[in-house]
Amino acid sequence: MLQQAISLLFLILPFMISVLSVSTTNSTIYVQCSQLNFTSMTSYESNLNSLFTSIVDSAPIYNFNKFETTPQSDVVYGLFQCRGDLTSPNCKDCVANAISQLKTTCPMSIGGEIQLEGCLVKYDNSSFFGVQEKVEVWRRCGPSVGYNLDVMNRINGALGYLIGGGGQYFRGGAFGSIQGAAQCVQDLSLGDCQDCLLEACGRLRTECETSTWGDMYMGKCYIRYADQGNENLANNDNSGSKSIIGGSKKNIIKWIAIVIVVAVGIGSLTFAVKNCCNINGTLLPFNNNRALTTLWFKT
């Protein structure tokens, strides 16, 4: 019985962790839609659909790419970028999910942008490639720890490490109990990337000065941190234990526990059936300047 339960656990567990990872990666942070619309059945719509197809086809190969469609009279510019630690399959899944949401949320908009936990997709009829966008798009701060100097110093140290990682568009990892990540859109130069992250970090520490975790998204970069050593301070926060890279730690632990219980339960049931009914059986294993409409999502 125990051997069957363990075998089932090893069959199911990788699948469940993969599902959790994809689910977290596809969580929506924000969506922006241009208030200007294109006309249906025009070359702009055709070019936009071609752009979306090119983006999805590119995602399994690259974690960033940019495109410009022709003809010039109805040109569409677009790009995508996945979080630096995402696998190729998860990157593709995230980008496909992002485009699906854009088509639903911004069905006729000439420009749109969506940021998921794992990827960014953006398009417009005016080129934005290489343009600095040091404008705050979205932020969120966790519960306060008060002026706890030890926690604040550890957070400042982690953020200092992130913004000090020049020469890289993605920087992330664990720094003691602090988990952090920072990333720039790769159409920026490394110098502009550094400027963007410095601005984002300054705003993050101002807005989330005493928070156990915080997220700051600018137009072309973001920086995030979470103190995993202070989970007990987030009791009033619905998101539970926050994870910057990968899935929520509490959710993963919860699902591992469920899988173990189910595996042991099925193993026990199989053992009982075989002994009660004398049955010999095999248990089968059952990713501008124009006015914008912004939709905010709580993750």
Side-chain angles (χ1 to χ4, degrees):
M1 177 184 68
L2 181 59
Q3 184 177 5
Q4 289 176 326
I6 293 174
S7 298
L8 183 62
L9 174 63
F10 279 100
L11 284 170
I12 295 177
L13 191 57
F15 171 75
M16 292 303 303
I17 292 176
S18 175
V19 169
L20 281 170
S21 176
V22 170
S23 176
T24 303
T25 298
N26 290 346
S27 299
T28 305
I29 295 175
Y30 67 82
V31 182
Q32 294 188 131
C33 306
S34 168
Q35 292 182 345
L36 298 179
N37 294 333
F38 60 82
T39 304
S40 181
M41 306 298 290
T42 60
S43 58
Y44 191 86
E45 181 178 32
S46 176
N47 285 345
L48 181 57
N49 288 331
S50 296
L51 172 73
F52 287 155
T53 299
S54 296
I55 287 175
V56 171
D57 289 344
S58 183
I61 306 170
Y62 308 101
N63 81 333
F64 164 80
N65 213 342
K66 58 183 181 179
F67 301 89
E68 175 183 345
T69 66
T70 54
Q72 292 298 317
S73 58
D74 282 311
V75 63
V76 187
Y77 302 88
L79 61 74
F80 78 91
Q81 177 167 278
C82 289
R83 201 175 64 211
D85 65 324
L86 244 57
T87 63
S88 294
N90 283 352
C91 178
K92 179 182 179 180
D93 183 82
C94 184
V95 168
N97 186 284
I99 288 177
S100 177
Q101 289 193 49
L102 273 178
K103 288 180 176 181
T104 301
T105 310
C106 312
M108 304 296 289
S109 297
I110 63 171
E113 176 180 355
I114 183 168
Q115 176 73 62
L116 305 187
E117 282 282 348
C119 63
L120 165 76
V121 175
K122 181 175 182 177
Y123 72 93
D124 203 348
N125 68 338
S126 298
S127 178
F128 52 87
F129 299 154
V131 178
Q132 275 271 37
E133 296 179 24
K134 292 193 292 185
V135 177
E136 182 181 319
V137 179
W138 186 87
R139 77 169 182 268
R140 187 172 66 158
C141 303
S144 174
V145 296
Y147 283 92
N148 185 320
L149 290 180
D150 177 58
V151 174
M152 293 174 68
N153 284 337
R154 284 189 281 118
I155 291 172
N156 287 333
L159 294 177
Y161 185 92
L162 289 173
I163 63 175
Q168 297 180 353
Y169 286 101
F170 175 77
R171 312 143 190 203
F175 313 91
S177 66
I178 310 298
Q179 192 178 66
Q183 188 170 24
C184 297
V185 180
Q186 294 177 54
D187 66 324
L188 293 181
S189 68
L190 286 172
D192 285 344
C193 171
Q194 192 66 18
D195 288 344
C196 187
L197 289 178
L198 285 169
E199 178 74 18
C201 184
R203 295 194 186 197
L204 179 64
R205 295 311 287 138
T206 298
E207 300 293 341
C208 307
E209 183 179 10
T210 63
S211 298
T212 56
W213 53 261
D215 304 332
M216 177 63 67
Y217 284 81
M218 310 288 283
K220 288 288 183 76
C221 70
Y222 68 80
I223 188 165
R224 314 174 69 188
Y225 75 88
D227 183 5
Q228 300 298 316
N230 279 278
E231 297 175 38
N232 59 311
L233 297 175
N235 291 333
N236 295 323
D237 182 73
N238 293 330
S239 65
S241 177
K242 186 173 179 64
S243 180
I244 301 299
I245 300 175
S248 165
K249 184 162 62 178
K250 283 187 177 179
N251 283 339
I252 291 174
I253 293 173
K254 178 182 73 175
W255 279 104
I256 288 175
I258 290 173
V259 169
I260 291 173
V261 170
V262 170
V264 172
I266 292 176
S268 300
L269 178 62
T270 303
F271 177 81
V273 169
K274 287 178 67 176
N275 281 274
C276 172
C277 305
N278 195 28
I279 296 173
N280 292 318
T282 302
L283 185 64
L284 299 176
F286 302 118
N287 229 333
N288 61 58
N289 295 322
R290 63 176 58 88
L292 293 173
T293 300
T294 304
L295 306 178
W296 307 102
F297 293 80
K298 292 186 69 177
T299 57

